[in-house]
Amino acid sequence: MKTLPGPAGWPGIGTVGPFLRGDLLHPFVRFFEQYGPLFRVRLPLGHNLVMLAHPDAVEHVLRSRRENYVKGPVYDGARILLGNGLVTSEGAFWRRQRDLTAPAFRPAKLEQYLATMAACTRALIQDWEQQGPSRTLDAQQAMTHLTMAIVGRTLFGLDLSQHSSRASVAFDAALAAIGRRGPASLQLPLWLPTAGNLRFRRVLRELDAIVYAIIQRFRAGRAEHADRTLLGEYLAARDPDTGKGMSDRQLRDEVITLYLAGHETTASLLTWALYVLGRRPDLADKVTAEIDARGSDPPPTLEALKGLPYTAQFINEVLRLYPPAWTVARNAIEADTILGYRIPAGAIVMLSPYLAHRWSEVWPDPLRFDPDRFAPEAVKARHPFAYFPFSLGPRICIGMQFSLFEARLVLAMILRRFRIRLPDDREVGCVAAGTLRPERNIIIGLTSKG
């Protein structure tokens, strides 16, 4: 059995030096370039982190031997905010919750959510048009504003995009606090009365008060069009064996999980998409030509959006190079062997779409942006676990289609009316700050197409 390659580190403290600046992404990129798609990083106190970017290894962890790789202590930091929602739960509880939430993402329900997405995007475009024929804006700020509006209306039937909204402020403060707390293994216990912990506990109390109040409004039948919202679907879901629905606590955890997944990750995807469109006018022309060939805004239906195959390929290539969730983490229960390498029991096992999607053995000339990588014949020829921006296997993101069709609709509506340009066309790097974010603001120019 082979030993995983990796930096030697220092006795007792491991390989901490490259991470002291809080930059998690770039040290891993350097190790990937040096050691290849499987390597080990020694952590303090004798712990091990194993990074995997080989498709066979990804398949082993996410499908073949998934029972040995669980969302254990590595997710304890996220559980402080997300509770025991779909992202963090395990075992029979996770399976029950998955079954209860699945009906909310049926195609018929997605059609309803698409209408809401289109209405929110139309409102944003109208605001841009009122600013004149040419304007500049911060892409991430604009896309976060839009996806927050969309998730608020599809989840609660409420507008959470207004900066004066208590819910918007509480959600954002909680997410920022989780990011500041860092990895679970380095966090101070929440019960310690430090200034940071006291602030975070206040934010959690505020967030819980808001979410529980919304849940009670739905339970009391005071929410308009509840059947058109994700929360309404969750409230109506019943376990077929027991007839029981979700408790308020379960609803709270799933709502906050959906909010995080529904606005943060899609905003990241759309921000990077606008950046690429601005840098690559040749690709922008191809995507726009496909959209314009439809004659008018695509109807907010799945069938109409499926008629934009090149736009879908473009979005998939954005997700290849800029996956919002740049790592997927697990804890190894027992020692194992992957591709001849020993995986220690208790190791943190990280699968990185960011690294895997840049491995030249699978992706020739990996830094070149090429939507044709996702032409049907190219996809068929590739390892099925080579591409996993939404994870894969049984734990694949339940909201994947929601996000992909949202991105397709938003881009189609924007490109119907505007040409995208970058006043500053310097390359923008990535930083890992929860999701994969630009290292600096991406300012785009919008020129009306007349």
Side-chain angles (χ1 to χ4, degrees), residues 1-5 37-42 46-54 56-62 65 67-70 329-351:
M1 190 181 304
K2 298 178 289 185
T3 300
L4 284 162
L38 294 91
F39 59 87
R40 179 217 67 246
V41 176
R42 299 185 189 277
H47 296 295
N48 290 280
L49 183 151
V50 176
M51 180 65 81
L52 306 175
H54 191 294
D56 288 338
V58 174
E59 182 172 20
H60 184 96
V61 171
L62 295 183
R65 283 275 288 146
E67 70 280 356
N68 189 53
Y69 297 93
V70 299
R330 298 288 189 270
N331 289 101
I333 299 174
E334 299 175 350
D336 195 10
T337 303
I338 297 180
L339 296 176
Y341 291 98
R342 179 179 178 274
I343 308 298
I348 296 173
V349 177
M350 294 180 71
L351 315 174

Side-chain angles (χ1 to χ4, degrees), residues 8-271:
W10 294 88
I13 63 172
T15 309
V16 298
F19 301 100
L20 290 178
R21 295 180 180 177
D23 176 10
L24 297 181
L25 178 64
H26 292 94
F28 283 127
V29 170
R30 290 196 295 272
F31 297 150
F32 172 68
E33 292 170 346
Q34 183 174 357
Y35 300 109
L38 294 91
F39 59 87
R40 179 217 67 246
V41 176
R42 299 185 189 277
L43 301 177
L45 304 177
H47 296 295
N48 290 280
L49 183 151
V50 176
M51 180 65 81
L52 306 175
H54 191 294
D56 288 338
V58 174
E59 182 172 20
H60 184 96
V61 171
L62 295 183
R63 186 170 71 177
S64 304
R65 283 275 288 146
R66 63 182 181 273
E67 70 280 356
N68 189 53
Y69 297 93
V70 299
K71 294 191 173 186
V74 71
Y75 277 85
D76 284 350
R79 288 187 178 98
I80 296 173
L81 173 60
L82 303 181
N84 210 24
L86 279 179
V87 167
T88 53
S89 57
E90 270 291 339
F93 182 85
W94 169 81
R95 171 52 61 190
R96 176 181 180 274
Q97 287 300 102
R98 180 83 177 201
D99 290 344
L100 285 173
T101 54
F105 295 92
R106 296 189 308 263
K109 299 305 297 184
L110 283 177
E111 298 273 5
Q112 291 182 2
Y113 308 145
L114 284 172
T116 301
M117 295 172 191
C120 292
T121 307
R122 195 173 298 114
L124 180 66
I125 287 172
Q126 289 171 352
D127 181 59
W128 289 348
E129 289 176 332
Q130 290 173 4
Q131 298 175 28
S134 183
R135 78 287 297 153
T136 59
L137 53 89
D138 183 310
Q140 185 165 6
Q141 185 180 72
M143 292 302 97
T144 299
H145 179 93
L146 173 60
T147 58
M148 194 183 297
I150 288 172
V151 77
R153 293 200 180 280
T154 55
L155 182 56
F156 298 126
L158 299 173
D159 184 2
L160 299 184
S161 66
Q162 301 301 315
H163 294 298
S164 61
S165 166
R166 288 173 60 228
S168 173
V169 172
F171 269 118
D172 286 354
L175 292 177
I178 283 289
R180 287 193 300 270
R181 285 173 61 79
S185 59
L186 302 179
Q187 292 176 6
L188 291 173
L190 196 57
W191 54 262
L192 284 176
T194 65
N197 278 350
L198 291 173
R199 284 194 303 271
F200 186 41
R201 281 152 59 180
R202 282 196 299 271
V203 167
L204 285 179
R205 285 195 299 270
E206 173 76 358
L207 185 63
D208 284 350
I210 292 167
V211 172
Y212 283 126
I214 293 172
I215 290 171
Q216 290 309 312
R217 187 166 63 88
F218 270 71
R219 287 201 186 278
R222 297 197 306 272
E224 294 184 10
H225 308 299
D227 59 330
R228 300 181 188 177
T229 65
L230 285 157
L231 179 54
E233 284 292 306
Y234 280 16
L235 276 163
R238 292 292 180 271
D239 186 312
D241 296 325
T242 66
K244 293 182 178 179
M246 295 188 213
S247 67
D248 283 1
R249 177 66 198 195
Q250 289 166 340
L251 287 166
R252 175 261 182 217
D253 292 348
E254 300 300 351
V255 159
I256 293 179
T257 297
L258 273 176
Y259 180 85
L260 173 63
H263 111 263
E264 182 84 1
T265 58
T266 309
S268 174
L269 163 58
L270 289 168
T271 299

Side-chain angles (χ1 to χ4, degrees), residues 269 272-273 275-277 279-280 282-284 287 310-322 364-374:
L269 163 58
W272 287 113
Y275 164 71
V276 175
L277 289 167
R279 291 199 87 209
R280 293 287 305 273
D282 57 324
L283 295 179
V287 175
Y310 190 79
T311 305
Q313 289 176 209
F314 173 83
I315 290 168
N316 284 335
E317 180 70 343
V318 172
L319 286 167
R320 182 184 72 85
L321 285 173
Y322 308 104
D365 194 6
L367 299 184
R368 177 174 55 88
F369 191 99
D370 182 8
D372 288 334
R373 298 181 195 271
F374 292 93

